[in-house]
Amino acid sequence: MPVVAGSLVTLAITARVTRASIVETYQADFVETLRAKGLTGIQILRHVFKECIVAGAHHVRAPDRLSARRLGVDRDIFQWPGIGLLLYNAIEARDLIVVEGSTLVIAGTFVIINLLVDLLQAVIDPRQRHALA
C-alpha cells in the first residue's frame, strides 16, 4: 500500500508527459510520411511510441522519489517502520553513524536508479546508443 500511495503522483505526471509527447509527435512530418506509405494506425503508434518513450523515462528519476520527507509521511500514515523511521530516530538520538549509513543507502539507491534509467535510455533511443559508440 505505501508503494502504491507513493507512486500515484509519479505515475500521473509520467502519464501526462508521455501523452503530451505522443500528441506532439503525431503532428511531426515523419508521421505523415508513414501514413503516405500506407502503414496502419497500430504500426504508426509503434513508431511514435518509440520516439516518445524517452520523454517518459526522464520522469522516473525525479529527485523527490526517495526524499526523507516522503519516507516520513509513509511512516506516519501506514505505521510501517522503515528507513524513514530509522533516520528520524537516529537524528533524534544524534547517532551520526546510523544517519550517515541511512543517508548513504538512500543516496546509493538514487544513484543506481539514475544509472538504470540512463542505460535503459541508451537501449531505447538509437541516437544515444550511437553517441556512446
Side-chain angles (χ1 to χ4, degrees), residues 57-58 60-61 112-122 128:
H58 279 289
V60 172
R61 62 171 157 183
I112 289 171
I113 288 172
N114 280 333
L115 176 67
L116 291 175
V117 169
D118 283 340
L119 292 175
L120 179 68
Q121 285 179 346
Q128 289 183 5

Side-chain angles (χ1 to χ4, degrees), residues 5-100:
S7 63
L8 284 178
V9 173
T10 304
L11 181 65
I13 292 171
T14 304
R16 280 185 61 196
V17 167
T18 305
R19 183 194 176 280
S21 180
I22 287 173
V23 168
E24 181 181 334
T25 306
Y26 260 115
Q27 298 170 356
D29 292 334
F30 80 93
V31 175
E32 292 180 28
T33 305
L34 294 174
R35 285 190 183 119
K37 285 184 173 182
L39 270 67
T40 64
I42 298 296
Q43 292 170 328
I44 293 173
L45 181 64
R46 191 178 78 225
H47 285 281
V48 169
F49 189 69
K50 283 181 185 178
E51 187 75 24
C52 298
I53 193 69
V54 176
H58 279 289
H59 292 279
V60 172
R61 62 171 157 183
D64 67 338
R65 302 297 175 263
L66 293 172
S67 67
R69 173 186 48 83
R70 203 189 97 212
L71 292 172
V73 169
D74 289 349
R75 173 187 58 86
D76 290 340
I77 293 175
F78 297 105
Q79 298 296 316
W80 283 11
I83 197 165
L85 181 62
L86 176 71
L87 185 60
Y88 180 77
N89 289 339
I91 290 171
E92 279 190 340
R94 300 193 190 281
D95 190 357
L96 293 179
I97 294 176
V98 176
V99 171
E100 289 173 356

